Amino acid sequence: VERSTITYNAAVSACEKGQQWIKAFQLLTEMTAVLVEAGIVTCNAAVSACEKSDEWEQAIHLLVDMGARCVEANTITYNAAVSACEKGCEWRQALQLFGDMADRRVEAATTTYNAATLACE
């Protein structure tokens, strides 16, 4: 099987569904090593894998790392990261991310508002 962004997207998405955040990280690292570009789909799946695995710190790390990959975070990225913080009872981090969205002109969705609100409860 040829290594491409599409095949890696599928693999990282499988990691997301299986809550395998470490494997998702490994695949992102491998992509860099074999010079396959990680796009928004790949990064969003990796952040979601962290969210589903209750790894809020790793979700934030990936969000920050996206800038180094020249991939701009979008609503889906922030939804997953804010939700990860909510699950980790990290309300300060959730609100910080919510503020970052506004600063970067990323539109918040109902899911984002809900996760940020639940984080503060």
Side-chain angles (χ1 to χ4, degrees):
V1 175
E2 181 182 338
R3 295 177 184 187
S4 69
T5 302
I6 294 169
T7 56
Y8 277 103
N9 285 350
V12 175
S13 290
C15 292
E16 170 196 357
K17 288 169 185 42
Q19 300 177 357
Q20 298 294 317
W21 71 272
I22 294 172
K23 186 62 180 171
F25 263 70
Q26 290 170 341
L27 288 167
L28 283 175
T29 301
E30 182 180 310
M31 289 178 80
T32 302
V34 297
L35 304 176
V36 174
E37 188 175 317
I40 189 68
V41 173
T42 315
C43 293
N44 283 348
V47 173
S48 291
C50 294
E51 180 256 332
K52 287 178 173 48
S53 301
D54 297 329
E55 293 289 338
W56 67 271
E57 290 173 301
Q58 300 304 324
I60 292 172
H61 173 76
L62 272 174
L63 182 66
V64 171
D65 185 55
M66 287 174 68
R69 294 178 182 277
C70 298
V71 177
E72 244 181 89
N74 63 15
T75 303
I76 295 167
T77 318
Y78 278 101
N79 284 348
V82 171
S83 182
C85 292
E86 178 259 316
K87 289 179 179 180
C89 300
E90 293 293 329
W91 64 271
R92 285 184 181 93
Q93 292 292 333
L95 293 180
Q96 177 66 50
L97 290 172
F98 193 76
D100 290 349
M101 289 180 76
D103 293 344
R104 295 177 185 192
R105 308 221 189 297
V106 176
E107 186 175 339
T110 303
T111 306
T112 323
Y113 287 105
N114 289 342
T117 302
L118 288 171
C120 295
E121 291 183 350

